[in-house]
PDB file of all heavy atoms in Angstrom:
ATOM      1  N   PRO A  48    -170.705  78.763  -9.483  1.00  0.00           N
ATOM      2  CA  PRO A  48    -171.591  77.579  -9.506  1.00  0.00           C
ATOM      3  C   PRO A  48    -170.935  76.377 -10.181  1.00  0.00           C
ATOM      4  O   PRO A  48    -171.096  75.236  -9.730  1.00  0.00           O
ATOM      5  CB  PRO A  48    -172.813  78.063 -10.300  1.00  0.00           C
ATOM      6  CG  PRO A  48    -172.820  79.542 -10.097  1.00  0.00           C
ATOM      7  CD  PRO A  48    -171.371  79.936 -10.072  1.00  0.00           C
ATOM      8  N   LEU A  49    -170.195  76.637 -11.268  1.00  0.00           N
ATOM      9  CA  LEU A  49    -169.515  75.545 -11.964  1.00  0.00           C
ATOM     10  C   LEU A  49    -168.367  74.996 -11.121  1.00  0.00           C
ATOM     11  O   LEU A  49    -168.115  73.780 -11.114  1.00  0.00           O
ATOM     12  CB  LEU A  49    -168.999  76.039 -13.318  1.00  0.00           C
ATOM     13  CG  LEU A  49    -168.744  74.969 -14.389  1.00  0.00           C
ATOM     14  CD1 LEU A  49    -169.982  74.128 -14.630  1.00  0.00           C
ATOM     15  CD2 LEU A  49    -168.280  75.622 -15.685  1.00  0.00           C
ATOM     16  N   LEU A  50    -167.683  75.872 -10.396  1.00  0.00           N
ATOM     17  CA  LEU A  50    -166.618  75.424  -9.500  1.00  0.00           C
ATOM     18  C   LEU A  50    -167.182  74.504  -8.419  1.00  0.00           C
ATOM     19  O   LEU A  50    -166.565  73.494  -8.067  1.00  0.00           O
ATOM     20  CB  LEU A  50    -165.941  76.636  -8.855  1.00  0.00           C
ATOM     21  CG  LEU A  50    -164.844  76.325  -7.826  1.00  0.00           C
ATOM     22  CD1 LEU A  50    -163.682  75.600  -8.484  1.00  0.00           C
ATOM     23  CD2 LEU A  50    -164.374  77.603  -7.146  1.00  0.00           C
ATOM     24  N   PHE A  51    -168.356  74.857  -7.906  1.00  0.00           N
ATOM     25  CA  PHE A  51    -168.997  74.015  -6.888  1.00  0.00           C
ATOM     26  C   PHE A  51    -169.325  72.642  -7.453  1.00  0.00           C
ATOM     27  O   PHE A  51    -169.163  71.623  -6.769  1.00  0.00           O
ATOM     28  CB  PHE A  51    -170.266  74.683  -6.366  1.00  0.00           C
ATOM     29  CG  PHE A  51    -171.037  73.831  -5.407  1.00  0.00           C
ATOM     30  CD1 PHE A  51    -170.574  73.610  -4.116  1.00  0.00           C
ATOM     31  CD2 PHE A  51    -172.230  73.216  -5.795  1.00  0.00           C
ATOM     32  CE1 PHE A  51    -171.273  72.807  -3.232  1.00  0.00           C
ATOM     33  CE2 PHE A  51    -172.937  72.418  -4.920  1.00  0.00           C
ATOM     34  CZ  PHE A  51    -172.460  72.215  -3.632  1.00  0.00           C
ATOM     35  N   VAL A  52    -169.771  72.602  -8.705  1.00  0.00           N
ATOM     36  CA  VAL A  52    -170.093  71.315  -9.338  1.00  0.00           C
ATOM     37  C   VAL A  52    -168.824  70.476  -9.496  1.00  0.00           C
ATOM     38  O   VAL A  52    -168.828  69.264  -9.249  1.00  0.00           O
ATOM     39  CB  VAL A  52    -170.766  71.531 -10.709  1.00  0.00           C
ATOM     40  CG1 VAL A  52    -170.884  70.213 -11.467  1.00  0.00           C
ATOM     41  CG2 VAL A  52    -172.149  72.138 -10.523  1.00  0.00           C
ATOM     42  N   TYR A  53    -167.716  71.122  -9.877  1.00  0.00           N
ATOM     43  CA  TYR A  53    -166.466  70.395 -10.093  1.00  0.00           C
ATOM     44  C   TYR A  53    -165.831  69.923  -8.787  1.00  0.00           C
ATOM     45  O   TYR A  53    -165.237  68.840  -8.741  1.00  0.00           O
ATOM     46  CB  TYR A  53    -165.468  71.284 -10.829  1.00  0.00           C
ATOM     47  CG  TYR A  53    -165.731  71.455 -12.305  1.00  0.00           C
ATOM     48  CD1 TYR A  53    -165.081  72.436 -13.043  1.00  0.00           C
ATOM     49  CD2 TYR A  53    -166.637  70.636 -12.964  1.00  0.00           C
ATOM     50  CE1 TYR A  53    -165.330  72.600 -14.398  1.00  0.00           C
ATOM     51  CE2 TYR A  53    -166.887  70.796 -14.304  1.00  0.00           C
ATOM     52  CZ  TYR A  53    -166.235  71.775 -15.026  1.00  0.00           C
ATOM     53  OH  TYR A  53    -166.483  71.926 -16.357  1.00  0.00           O
ATOM     54  N   VAL A  54    -165.947  70.726  -7.736  1.00  0.00           N
ATOM     55  CA  VAL A  54    -165.246  70.444  -6.489  1.00  0.00           C
ATOM     56  C   VAL A  54    -166.194  69.979  -5.388  1.00  0.00           C
ATOM     57  O   VAL A  54    -165.983  68.933  -4.761  1.00  0.00           O
ATOM     58  CB  VAL A  54    -164.452  71.681  -6.005  1.00  0.00           C
ATOM     59  CG1 VAL A  54    -163.748  71.383  -4.679  1.00  0.00           C
ATOM     60  CG2 VAL A  54    -163.451  72.113  -7.059  1.00  0.00           C
ATOM     61  N   GLY A  55    -167.235  70.749  -5.133  1.00  0.00           N
ATOM     62  CA  GLY A  55    -168.109  70.475  -3.996  1.00  0.00           C
ATOM     63  C   GLY A  55    -168.987  69.254  -4.164  1.00  0.00           C
ATOM     64  O   GLY A  55    -169.119  68.443  -3.242  1.00  0.00           O
ATOM     65  N   VAL A  56    -169.579  69.107  -5.351  1.00  0.00           N
ATOM     66  CA  VAL A  56    -170.542  68.017  -5.553  1.00  0.00           C
ATOM     67  C   VAL A  56    -169.885  66.637  -5.433  1.00  0.00           C
ATOM     68  O   VAL A  56    -170.426  65.759  -4.751  1.00  0.00           O
ATOM     69  CB  VAL A  56    -171.272  68.170  -6.907  1.00  0.00           C
ATOM     70  CG1 VAL A  56    -172.162  66.951  -7.186  1.00  0.00           C
ATOM     71  CG2 VAL A  56    -172.144  69.427  -6.883  1.00  0.00           C
ATOM     72  N   PRO A  57    -168.719  66.383  -6.053  1.00  0.00           N
ATOM     73  CA  PRO A  57    -168.099  65.058  -5.861  1.00  0.00           C
ATOM     74  C   PRO A  57    -167.746  64.765  -4.406  1.00  0.00           C
ATOM     75  O   PRO A  57    -167.906  63.625  -3.942  1.00  0.00           O
ATOM     76  CB  PRO A  57    -166.831  65.142  -6.732  1.00  0.00           C
ATOM     77  CG  PRO A  57    -167.129  66.174  -7.745  1.00  0.00           C
ATOM     78  CD  PRO A  57    -167.968  67.191  -7.038  1.00  0.00           C
ATOM     79  N   ILE A  58    -167.278  65.790  -3.678  1.00  0.00           N
ATOM     80  CA  ILE A  58    -166.953  65.590  -2.264  1.00  0.00           C
ATOM     81  C   ILE A  58    -168.216  65.268  -1.472  1.00  0.00           C
ATOM     82  O   ILE A  58    -168.231  64.355  -0.631  1.00  0.00           O
ATOM     83  CB  ILE A  58    -166.240  66.827  -1.695  1.00  0.00           C
ATOM     84  CG1 ILE A  58    -164.859  66.976  -2.340  1.00  0.00           C
ATOM     85  CG2 ILE A  58    -166.111  66.727  -0.171  1.00  0.00           C
ATOM     86  CD1 ILE A  58    -164.119  68.236  -1.937  1.00  0.00           C
ATOM     87  N   LEU A  59    -169.289  66.014  -1.739  1.00  0.00           N
ATOM     88  CA  LEU A  59    -170.565  65.724  -1.082  1.00  0.00           C
ATOM     89  C   LEU A  59    -171.042  64.312  -1.415  1.00  0.00           C
ATOM     90  O   LEU A  59    -171.552  63.599  -0.544  1.00  0.00           O
ATOM     91  CB  LEU A  59    -171.625  66.742  -1.515  1.00  0.00           C
ATOM     92  CG  LEU A  59    -171.569  68.125  -0.855  1.00  0.00           C
ATOM     93  CD1 LEU A  59    -172.609  69.035  -1.484  1.00  0.00           C
ATOM     94  CD2 LEU A  59    -171.795  68.011   0.646  1.00  0.00           C
ATOM     95  N   ALA A  60    -170.866  63.908  -2.670  1.00  0.00           N
ATOM     96  CA  ALA A  60    -171.274  62.565  -3.087  1.00  0.00           C
ATOM     97  C   ALA A  60    -170.540  61.505  -2.276  1.00  0.00           C
ATOM     98  O   ALA A  60    -171.138  60.518  -1.819  1.00  0.00           O
ATOM     99  CB  ALA A  60    -171.020  62.375  -4.583  1.00  0.00           C
ATOM    100  N   GLY A  61    -169.232  61.712  -2.090  1.00  0.00           N
ATOM    101  CA  GLY A  61    -168.452  60.764  -1.293  1.00  0.00           C
ATOM    102  C   GLY A  61    -168.924  60.709   0.147  1.00  0.00           C
ATOM    103  O   GLY A  61    -169.017  59.631   0.750  1.00  0.00           O
ATOM    104  N   ILE A  62    -169.247  61.866   0.708  1.00  0.00           N
ATOM    105  CA  ILE A  62    -169.744  61.918   2.082  1.00  0.00           C
ATOM    106  C   ILE A  62    -171.076  61.186   2.192  1.00  0.00           C
ATOM    107  O   ILE A  62    -171.312  60.435   3.149  1.00  0.00           O
ATOM    108  CB  ILE A  62    -169.885  63.380   2.550  1.00  0.00           C
ATOM    109  CG1 ILE A  62    -168.503  64.024   2.665  1.00  0.00           C
ATOM    110  CG2 ILE A  62    -170.625  63.458   3.891  1.00  0.00           C
ATOM    111  CD1 ILE A  62    -168.545  65.524   2.931  1.00  0.00           C
ATOM    112  N   PHE A  63    -171.944  61.378   1.212  1.00  0.00           N
ATOM    113  CA  PHE A  63    -173.259  60.718   1.230  1.00  0.00           C
ATOM    114  C   PHE A  63    -173.113  59.202   1.142  1.00  0.00           C
ATOM    115  O   PHE A  63    -173.863  58.458   1.785  1.00  0.00           O
ATOM    116  CB  PHE A  63    -174.130  61.237   0.084  1.00  0.00           C
ATOM    117  CG  PHE A  63    -174.564  62.658   0.251  1.00  0.00           C
ATOM    118  CD1 PHE A  63    -174.711  63.499  -0.848  1.00  0.00           C
ATOM    119  CD2 PHE A  63    -174.828  63.181   1.511  1.00  0.00           C
ATOM    120  CE1 PHE A  63    -175.116  64.816  -0.701  1.00  0.00           C
ATOM    121  CE2 PHE A  63    -175.225  64.502   1.675  1.00  0.00           C
ATOM    122  CZ  PHE A  63    -175.371  65.324   0.560  1.00  0.00           C
ATOM    123  N   ILE A  64    -172.157  58.736   0.339  1.00  0.00           N
ATOM    124  CA  ILE A  64    -171.903  57.295   0.264  1.00  0.00           C
ATOM    125  C   ILE A  64    -171.487  56.768   1.633  1.00  0.00           C
ATOM    126  O   ILE A  64    -171.967  55.737   2.099  1.00  0.00           O
ATOM    127  CB  ILE A  64    -170.806  56.980  -0.769  1.00  0.00           C
ATOM    128  CG1 ILE A  64    -171.305  57.247  -2.188  1.00  0.00           C
ATOM    129  CG2 ILE A  64    -170.354  55.519  -0.665  1.00  0.00           C
ATOM    130  CD1 ILE A  64    -170.233  57.112  -3.244  1.00  0.00           C
ATOM    131  N   TYR A  65    -170.597  57.491   2.284  1.00  0.00           N
ATOM    132  CA  TYR A  65    -170.024  57.042   3.552  1.00  0.00           C
ATOM    133  C   TYR A  65    -171.053  57.046   4.683  1.00  0.00           C
ATOM    134  O   TYR A  65    -171.004  56.197   5.581  1.00  0.00           O
ATOM    135  CB  TYR A  65    -168.845  57.932   3.927  1.00  0.00           C
ATOM    136  CG  TYR A  65    -168.076  57.438   5.125  1.00  0.00           C
ATOM    137  CD1 TYR A  65    -167.158  56.399   4.998  1.00  0.00           C
ATOM    138  CD2 TYR A  65    -168.278  57.987   6.387  1.00  0.00           C
ATOM    139  CE1 TYR A  65    -166.451  55.924   6.088  1.00  0.00           C
ATOM    140  CE2 TYR A  65    -167.578  57.525   7.483  1.00  0.00           C
ATOM    141  CZ  TYR A  65    -166.670  56.495   7.329  1.00  0.00           C
ATOM    142  OH  TYR A  65    -165.987  56.020   8.420  1.00  0.00           O
ATOM    143  N   ILE A  66    -171.994  57.974   4.659  1.00  0.00           N
ATOM    144  CA  ILE A  66    -172.986  58.085   5.739  1.00  0.00           C
ATOM    145  C   ILE A  66    -173.865  56.842   5.832  1.00  0.00           C
ATOM    146  O   ILE A  66    -174.254  56.413   6.930  1.00  0.00           O
ATOM    147  CB  ILE A  66    -173.840  59.356   5.546  1.00  0.00           C
ATOM    148  CG1 ILE A  66    -172.984  60.603   5.826  1.00  0.00           C
ATOM    149  CG2 ILE A  66    -175.070  59.349   6.451  1.00  0.00           C
ATOM    150  CD1 ILE A  66    -173.677  61.908   5.522  1.00  0.00           C
ATOM    151  N   CYS A  67    -174.208  56.248   4.702  1.00  0.00           N
ATOM    152  CA  CYS A  67    -174.995  55.007   4.672  1.00  0.00           C
ATOM    153  C   CYS A  67    -176.357  55.140   5.358  1.00  0.00           C
ATOM    154  O   CYS A  67    -176.703  54.371   6.268  1.00  0.00           O
ATOM    155  CB  CYS A  67    -174.215  53.851   5.310  1.00  0.00           C
ATOM    156  SG  CYS A  67    -172.800  53.300   4.347  1.00  0.00           S
ATOM    157  N   LYS A  68    -177.139  56.101   4.917  1.00  0.00           N
ATOM    158  CA  LYS A  68    -178.505  56.261   5.399  1.00  0.00           C
ATOM    159  C   LYS A  68    -179.446  56.328   4.193  1.00  0.00           C
ATOM    160  O   LYS A  68    -179.017  56.590   3.071  1.00  0.00           O
ATOM    161  CB  LYS A  68    -178.649  57.533   6.236  1.00  0.00           C
ATOM    162  CG  LYS A  68    -177.876  57.516   7.559  1.00  0.00           C
ATOM    163  CD  LYS A  68    -178.475  56.537   8.539  1.00  0.00           C
ATOM    164  CE  LYS A  68    -177.898  56.704   9.935  1.00  0.00           C
ATOM    165  NZ  LYS A  68    -176.501  56.292  10.041  1.00  0.00           N
TER     166      LYS A  68
END
Side-chain angles (χ1 to χ4, degrees):
L49 202 55
L50 177 63
F51 175 73
V52 170
Y53 284 167
V54 179
V56 174
I58 293 175
L59 282 175
I62 293 172
F63 291 146
I64 291 173
Y65 188 79
I66 290 174
C67 290
K68 294 291 191 291

